[in-house]
Amino acid sequence: MTISPLAGASTRPLASACPEQTAASIIAAAHDLLGHLAAGRRIDAPAIRTAMQSAFGASDASGAWDWKAAYEAVEVAQLLFMRRYGPAIHGRTANPFEQLKLVERLARLAPTQTRRSEEMLSFQQFSTPLGLAWVAGFAADLRPGELVLEPSAGTGLLAIQAELAGCRLAVNEVAEVRAALLGSLFEGSSVSMHDAAQIHDRLAAGLVPSCIVMNPPFSTALHVETRVADAAFRHLSSAIARLGGGGRLVAITGANCAPGHKAWRDGFIRMQDNARVVFTATIAGSVFAPHGTSVETRLTVIDKVPSDDPAQFPVSPGMAPDLATLLRWLTGSLPPRQPIAASAIQPLRTPRSSPAIKAAGSKPKLVSAPAREPSGAPLEYELIDWQSPSDGKLSDTLYEPYTLQSIHIAGAQPHPTRLVQSAAMSSVAPPKPSYRPHLPAGLVEQGLLSDAQLESVIYAGEAHADLLAGKWSVDATWDKVEAAPDDCDTAVRFRKGWFLGDGTGAGKGRQVAGILLDNWLKRRRRAVWISKSDKLLEDAQRDWKALGQEPLLVTPLARFRQGTPIRLEQGILFTTYATLRSDARENRVSRVQQIVDWLGTDFNGVIVFDESHAMQNAGGGKSDRGDSAPSQQGRAGLRLQHALPDARILYVSATGATTVENLAYAQRLGLWGGADFPFDKRTDFIAAIEAGGVAAMEVLARDLKALGLYAARSLSYEGVEYELVEHQLTSEQVRIYDAYAGAFQVIHNNLDAALEAANVTSSEGTSNAQAKSAARSAFESAKQRFFNHLITAMKTPTLMTAIDQGLADGHAAVVQIVSTGEALLSRRLADIDPGEWNDVQIDITPREYV
């Protein structure tokens, strides 16, 4: 039984994020858990946590998954086991009681679903236990080739019984993640997302099942917050209306939804004018206990044939304490099904396996969401001659308005906000390009990319069309690169890269998406997008979608365990620098090797190093304390560039490097070792630029732009005015501040005594200098954090008043939060058991310091 709220996204974090990706990760975890079932091992919490962390690439503490999703992975693993071994169970014995024993033995390997979520409770998302689902399938007396409908399909444990019987399937599920699961698990079947209480009104008129199996919500309804007593009966009535003549319906409902119950007797009497109840029995709550509830249930079987006496119902045999008893009652009193018209039975033509579910023994293959084949046309632009308004001399301003200097794009719209560039950058124009990017028709006219953003796409393609000077040999580790002699057969040439250095507001993500789209339309259907945080995945998908593309084509690398092949035919692989730096361990290859294996050594698509300054110190450096080793992230980025010499490298960073030595990662710009710059080695380049200081860095940026390898624009702040708003402390606030200041002064005055009592100090001096330093540091840090909170809170009323006034004046309010406390919040959440996440109570306010 399942029902999902379509409002209130806060109760469904996984579904609202991306149902298809969540479903794919659940299926991946289910494949890991399937091994436990196949080996006869019980699935415990550590096994579930390991499988889910591997599939989602993060722990439940991070919010990437919850235990409701984990239990669904267990249920999917049971489904996969039945798909694989169900025929063997049926072939081993024809005795239904022996078959039930085997199914129940499998069900006992699954854990009890003790960790229930608010959604699970509020919307009664309790899947049918595997043993009860098998008994329901037995009661349905399924016929090969007939169409079976499950209106509230959940994770498909009822539907798999119909599949094993050779039936055609139509499944309905309103919960987004579960619907995505069904779409992957039962590809080729009809999958819909309607309110099952109105299933007859919602389904296509031509879809007429001859059998319906269902486990609807017992007392909840879609969009209704309060309890709905007749919810189950509504589902029954709608399903009966949809059922074909002579068909059979098997329903699992609450125990009180019975023909003999005074509240429902009249409804069942009216129902029996068209369909008669042929069996009904109550089931003990212990049967459903493994799935999170001990409520008593009822199995009701209804055949769609008129009853001779609508007021007469079969006598219930009582309450079945277990499934074996229920099965015995069914075999003794359930009448055979009515004959089905030959036209209602059709041979099964569609395969039951999904691309996400391969044959026995294989791992899941994640397939990007099907997207329409995009088409594009070359972008038309004309070359122009640019003349510096200051005759090549630097002006006395820091920034100049930004305009396209070497090209004109007809129909292109200006950037939504005014852009500027530094006076040094504006003094030179980029070279006249010849590259023509391919973009979808209408993209320019719709303004999906501004003229400045289109210029980036053009110059990135122009740079990527050329190779750096010289031939190079790369060792097997991809760490060492040396100049190769002319007769070296293994020598490679590196493709030029391009650097996007725009500031905030210029739309770097949209420009990256435009460059990827250009290459996508040129049949380069694999790319890598590396960024600083996995939270930026949604931003990447948003920018890709903004250009009219399928967002699910941007797939996180975390979906694939380290050491396993990346099973994507095409797509944009999104990963982080932290993931990229994972070295080989045990029998698992490194993440860099995993990506290279997917792309192939002859890869000529795009690799985006977003926030590329995260690779700083890629080549090591010197400091007052001596030489520093290269950073792991920087080395990983260089290895990827060395391993794929023909890749189109795109660096993206508004702060490319704080020091010149941190530009070591930008090897594809040809700053050293080539003909464009007079530096043989990186060390020569660093020494020369450091000698010139900031002015030399400005000249370097200008020269890179003149070569068509760099662009750096920023938002204009012209017209921006600043006004300080002063908060006047009230007498009460002064009193509060003084009271807390006095309290901290007492602590400060007695800190030495506390240290002496703890044997950190003594009358003879300091016994443990490190402990003393740590104690004083902790005290001062706590004091500063506390008063920061206190002062911020005191200023808030004035801030709110200023915001209200600004809104009343027709302005928009933007509040900059300097410190969000995210790190502290993450530490507090990590300390909480996942089972307590439904009632999280933590304190990150100033009270924790008092």
Side-chain angles (χ1 to χ4, degrees), residues 45 122 153 268 291 570 583 596 697 726 785 802 823 847:
S122 301
F268 276 102
H291 278 230
Q570 60 183 25
D583 287 330
V596 172
M697 291 289 281
E726 182 178 351
R785 288 195 298 268
R847 285 192 296 268

Side-chain angles (χ1 to χ4, degrees), residues 615-620 634 638 641-642 651 657 659-668 671-672 682 685-686:
M615 294 188 292
Q616 62 184 358
N617 196 31
L638 285 178
Q641 296 180 61
H642 296 159
Y651 307 106
T659 61
V660 64
E661 66 182 18
N662 285 335
L663 275 176
Y665 64 83
Q667 287 193 351
R668 295 295 186 93
L671 297 175
W672 54 85
R682 180 178 63 89
F685 165 76
I686 292 175

